[in-house]
Amino acid sequence: MPCRDARLLLAAQRDGELTPADAAQLQQHLKHCASCRAHELRLQCLNTLLLSPASRSYSSVSTERIMLAVQQQKRITQQLQDIHMQQQSRMARFRVVGVPLAALTLFTLSSIPLLLLALTIVQPALLVNLLSSSSGFVDIFIILMQYMQIGLTLVTRDNRLLLGVAFVLVVMMGMWLRLMRHPQEA
């Protein structure tokens, strides 16, 4: 019997369609052909793998843990919505109070030079008295500016000190940007 016919008979045996006469011929051929015996063993291995019931593998994540995660996500989403609403209400309050306050401050600060000019023209004696009484404050301001000038000179001369100041400024800006960003969902 040729090997091709023996392999066809092996397939018929697997399907249960082998006659007793063909079974005897197949057994006789398998006794003498090592190649067909190896093919029969491979077919048997495949049959046991294919016909064995698949073992079910269960995930280590339980339904309870999934429900807890969903509830936690809902709480986080609700907290983010609350923060967003608080931020919107603060911004609305700031628009009501902040814009007029900023305009009033700008008007006040810009009117100080005009007031000093008017005092110079109308009442020069009052301006002289005002400047002489505030001379202590002016002296303190001048001394502070000199200290600041010395400090800036020192910082710009030493490269390591300048590098340290720049690093501190960059870190502070990064922290400010991180704190001021829009809240995102986790």
Side-chain angles (χ1 to χ4, degrees):
M1 166 185 300
C3 289
R4 187 184 82 235
D5 293 341
R7 291 182 183 192
L8 289 174
L9 289 176
L10 282 172
Q13 180 182 11
R14 181 192 65 215
D15 296 337
E17 300 172 354
L18 192 62
T19 62
D22 288 338
Q25 282 182 353
L26 178 63
Q27 290 303 322
Q28 187 65 26
H29 178 78
L30 289 175
K31 284 181 189 176
H32 300 293
C33 183
S35 173
C36 289
R37 279 195 306 270
H39 183 72
E40 179 188 28
L41 287 174
R42 283 193 302 266
L43 283 177
Q44 287 175 354
C45 287
L46 282 174
N47 284 338
T48 56
L49 287 174
L50 292 175
L51 297 177
S52 67
S55 63
R56 291 190 103 175
S57 62
Y58 293 99
S59 171
S60 64
V61 178
S62 66
T63 306
E64 184 177 314
R65 288 180 64 191
I66 292 172
M67 293 306 293
L68 285 174
V70 168
Q71 290 173 355
Q72 183 180 12
Q73 184 66 32
K74 284 181 182 178
R75 278 194 312 266
I76 290 171
T77 303
Q78 183 62 38
Q79 288 172 350
L80 285 174
Q81 288 174 350
D82 292 343
I83 290 171
H84 184 65
M85 293 300 291
Q86 289 173 357
Q87 189 178 24
Q88 285 180 343
S89 68
R90 284 185 196 134
M91 290 303 292
R93 280 184 281 166
F94 180 72
R95 282 187 199 109
V96 170
V97 176
V99 173
L101 184 63
L104 184 63
T105 304
L106 181 65
F107 176 73
T108 304
L109 290 176
S110 62
S111 65
I112 289 175
L114 292 174
L115 179 64
L116 290 176
L117 179 65
L119 275 176
T120 305
I121 294 172
V122 176
Q123 298 257 337
L126 182 63
L127 183 64
V128 169
N129 288 338
L130 181 66
L131 288 176
S132 65
S133 66
S134 65
S135 67
F137 294 116
V138 172
D139 292 338
I140 291 173
F141 181 72
I142 290 172
I143 291 170
L144 286 175
M145 294 317 276
Q146 287 174 348
Y147 280 133
M148 186 178 285
Q149 181 182 8
I150 292 169
L152 289 175
T153 305
L154 179 66
V155 167
T156 56
R157 270 193 213 151
D158 188 6
N159 286 339
R160 282 179 260 138
L161 193 56
L162 183 62
L163 182 67
V165 169
F167 178 72
V168 168
L169 285 174
V170 167
V171 167
M172 288 173 61
M173 279 302 285
M175 289 171 41
W176 181 80
L177 288 173
R178 173 98 170 128
L179 291 173
M180 296 307 291
R181 70 186 169 99
H182 192 287
Q184 300 172 351
E185 288 200 35

